Amino acid sequence: MDVGLINGLPGHPLFVHSSVVLVPLTALALLVCVLWPSAARRLSWVLPALGLVTLVLVVLTTESGEWLEERVQETALVEEHAEMGSELTPWVIALFVLTVAVWLLGRVGSRWDRDGGGAAGSSTEGGASVTARRAASVPVRVAVLVLALVVAVGAAVEVYRIGDSGAKAVWHGRFSTTGAGGGG
């Protein structure tokens, strides 16, 4: 599949718009699920699926951007944008990993709740209850929350920075601030 051209037009703008929407949406969904475990249980597999789709779209955006970079006039703004483009991938990988981790924590936590929280006489008194108890513990949840906040904010800021540099690369000097009629 050639991600450079879609229906005879550069694919990069299409992928960019998808990434610009999905990265912050995935970050927000991650934070909601970390703060409200019941939301993670309700979303179930949708959270890691959203993380995976976002990761794939960011990779496609980067690949199509590299394809387009080779076919447009080289300017300092284009070079700056191209250099920044690959900086989003590590953030989105971390976002995906955390969506999977939060999903797994939600599954383990709900299983622990459903089985009686490891109460005496419950079926979870063995090794499974130890894992569930640790996964549902406050320190683990706080650590995941801190990581999720750092990654969500980092990914959102990176999307903004890269998008801003891309907009400048495309539009710098190509429009009039006074309108088409030239009047003010």
Side-chain angles (χ1 to χ4, degrees):
M1 179 177 143
D2 185 12
V3 297
L5 285 176
I6 296 177
N7 201 24
L9 296 171
H12 188 64
L14 173 67
F15 294 125
V16 163
H17 287 91
S18 300
S19 295
V20 164
V21 170
L22 283 181
V23 170
L25 179 67
T26 304
L28 182 61
L30 173 65
L31 292 177
V32 166
C33 288
V34 168
L35 292 170
W36 291 284
S38 63
R41 287 189 289 273
R42 283 190 189 108
L43 282 178
S44 183
W45 57 269
V46 173
L47 182 64
L50 182 62
L52 180 61
V53 169
T54 301
L55 176 58
V56 168
L57 275 170
V58 166
V59 170
L60 290 173
T61 302
T62 304
E63 290 296 318
S64 64
E66 290 172 358
W67 180 91
L68 186 58
E69 179 189 14
E70 295 172 5
R71 289 158 178 85
V72 297
Q73 180 182 353
E74 187 175 324
T75 67
L77 292 173
V78 168
E79 285 301 313
E80 177 185 355
H81 175 66
E83 287 176 16
M84 292 175 75
S86 61
E87 294 173 9
L88 182 60
T89 303
W91 288 103
V92 178
I93 290 170
L95 198 62
F96 171 63
V97 168
L98 282 168
T99 61
V100 172
V102 168
W103 173 66
L104 289 172
L105 283 174
R107 288 179 49 93
V108 169
S110 67
R111 186 173 300 139
W112 188 52
D113 291 343
R114 186 176 57 244
D115 292 342
S122 75
S123 63
T124 62
E125 286 182 340
S129 70
V130 173
T131 303
R133 195 172 23 249
R134 286 183 184 150
S137 71
V138 172
V140 169
R141 295 231 176 251
V142 169
V144 171
L145 173 61
V146 169
L147 282 171
L149 278 169
V150 168
V151 170
V153 169
V157 167
E158 202 61 35
V159 163
Y160 172 80
R161 289 180 61 240
I162 295 166
D164 183 58
S165 74
K168 286 177 182 172
V170 169
W171 292 104
H172 181 74
R174 297 196 180 166
F175 66 95
S176 170
T177 57
T178 60

